[in-house]
Amino acid sequence: MNIGEASSASGVSAKMIRYYESIGLIEAPGRTQSNYRVYGSDDVHTLRFIKRARTLGFSVEETAKLLELWRDKTRASADVKAVATQHIDELETKIAELQGMVRTLKHLADCCGGNDRPNCPILEDLAAGPNSHKGHH
Amino acid sequence: MNIGEASSASGVSAKMIRYYESIGLIEAPGRTQSNYRVYGSDDVHTLRFIKRARTLGFSVEETAKLLELWRDKTRASADVKAVATQHIDELETKIAELQGMVRTLKHLADCCGGNDRPNCPILEDLAAGPNSHKGHH
DNA sequence: TATAGAGTTTCCCATCATGGGAAGGTCAAT
DNA sequence: ATTGACCTTCCCATGATGGGAAACTCTATA
């Protein structure tokens, strides 16, 4: 199977398949006489694993760790869970951060007339800094 | 005021101040005879504005737009609100995406023994794809 | 069989915002 | 005069991805 087929079978772009090979996430596959990469169904399986991990927000590095555990049939599920749990923590930290931004912005947007006049609490906040609207509600 | 002072007064690193200048987000300041950049309190004010906008998750491009509106005393607050509202939407989309990941991962982690045995639903999900655990609860 | 079009290869560049670090110039205090 | 802290410019790196060029290969069709 050529890289194009492996790509459509796995959902990973050909570009990224080559990239994953270049950083050592996947092994270099065999080549045809004409230097084309040749993949088998195991490779596609691995690529799908990677795709799924990336979709769940794992970094490439975390994905490498998960791949390693996947291949290690003597792994302890606790090790996998630890990777997942840490990732959940990272995601939740990020979510909280974004929610903080949204909270502030919504408050400011609510206070902004959104009309033709220039007066705007959003710009006032940006100009004055994070504490300017404390106690205003 | 030297760049170092402007940096500590604004919370923007000297490196970033130079970068913002290079991309045209801020204007090039005057220079001393010895080629040092010289900033005034207006510049610090602008840098703080930028810092605050970045802290609220606006991209540099969005920040440029906000700066422009800030300087335009005849702006319509609706224009500012539009920028903010669009950013809120982007943030909420991102949050929903991350929450989806967390939801899936928490479910998988809950189903994982987290012990010494290799059996692990997290890896099974990664290997089998997004639909493998449908209807399992 | 020749040619066209699609697929593949490697290589370089760009993104976005930020930091690291080198080499060299400048300033202020001892 | 020396030292240490500051400034300057320039290049490089990040993470994950895409774009594109130049050259090669394969397959189908005319």
Side-chain angles (χ1 to χ4, degrees):
Chain A
M1 182 181 349
N2 281 342
I3 199 170
E5 284 175 87
S7 170
S8 42
S10 65
V12 180
S13 73
K15 211 85 178 178
M16 289 313 297
I17 295 176
R18 293 191 198 100
Y19 171 70
Y20 290 153
E21 178 188 330
S22 80
I23 61 170
L25 182 63
I26 58 178
E27 287 192 14
R31 300 275 184 141
T32 65
Q33 269 190 321
S34 55
N35 206 31
Y36 281 22
R37 287 172 179 82
V38 181
Y39 298 93
S41 55
D42 279 9
D43 298 312
V44 171
H45 201 187
T46 300
L47 287 169
R48 275 201 223 236
F49 182 101
I50 292 169
K51 174 75 177 178
R52 175 75 176 140
R54 299 283 303 119
T55 298
L56 288 176
F58 288 101
S59 69
V60 166
E61 198 174 10
E62 287 166 331
T63 302
K65 178 69 182 162
L66 290 169
L67 261 182
E68 192 193 315
L69 289 166
W70 186 41
R71 292 194 184 112
D72 177 4
K73 298 303 181 195
T74 73
R75 73 203 160 231
S77 65
D79 291 344
V80 184
K81 193 167 181 171
V83 174
T85 301
Q86 194 202 325
H87 182 46
I88 290 170
D89 287 350
E90 288 163 4
L91 288 172
E92 289 189 328
T93 298
K94 186 72 183 169
I95 288 169
E97 198 181 313
L98 298 180
Q99 281 173 337
M101 294 175 188
V102 168
R103 204 177 313 120
T104 301
L105 285 166
K106 278 194 166 167
H107 170 62
L108 293 172
D110 281 352
C111 296
C112 172
N115 53 32
D116 287 350
R117 274 170 294 144
N119 179 275
C120 178
I122 299 170
L123 292 180
E124 282 163 23
D125 175 277
L126 290 172
N131 299 318
S132 65
H133 54 84
K134 262 189 185 160
H136 273 249
H137 52 110
Chain B
M1 185 180 347
N2 281 342
I3 199 171
E5 283 174 87
S7 169
S8 42
S10 65
V12 179
S13 73
K15 211 84 177 174
M16 290 313 297
I17 295 176
R18 292 191 199 101
Y19 172 68
Y20 291 152
E21 178 188 330
S22 80
I23 62 171
L25 182 63
I26 58 179
E27 287 193 14
R31 301 276 185 141
T32 65
Q33 269 189 324
S34 54
N35 207 30
Y36 281 22
R37 288 172 178 81
V38 180
Y39 298 93
S41 57
D42 278 9
D43 298 313
V44 171
H45 201 188
T46 299
L47 287 169
R48 275 201 223 234
F49 181 103
I50 293 169
K51 175 73 177 180
R52 175 75 176 142
R54 300 282 305 117
T55 298
L56 288 176
F58 289 101
S59 69
V60 167
E61 199 174 9
E62 288 165 330
T63 302
K65 178 71 182 159
L66 291 169
L67 260 183
E68 193 192 316
L69 289 166
W70 186 40
R71 292 194 185 114
D72 177 5
K73 297 304 180 198
T74 73
R75 74 206 159 230
S77 65
D79 291 344
V80 184
K81 194 167 181 172
V83 174
T85 301
Q86 193 201 326
H87 182 47
I88 289 171
D89 286 351
E90 290 163 3
L91 289 172
E92 288 189 328
T93 299
K94 186 71 183 171
I95 287 169
E97 198 181 311
L98 298 181
Q99 281 173 337
M101 294 176 187
V102 167
R103 203 177 312 119
T104 302
L105 285 167
K106 278 195 165 167
H107 171 63
L108 293 171
D110 280 353
C111 295
C112 172
N115 53 31
D116 288 351
R117 276 170 294 143
N119 179 274
C120 178
I122 300 171
L123 292 179
E124 282 163 24
D125 174 277
L126 290 172
N131 298 318
S132 66
H133 54 85
K134 264 190 183 162
H136 273 246
H137 54 110

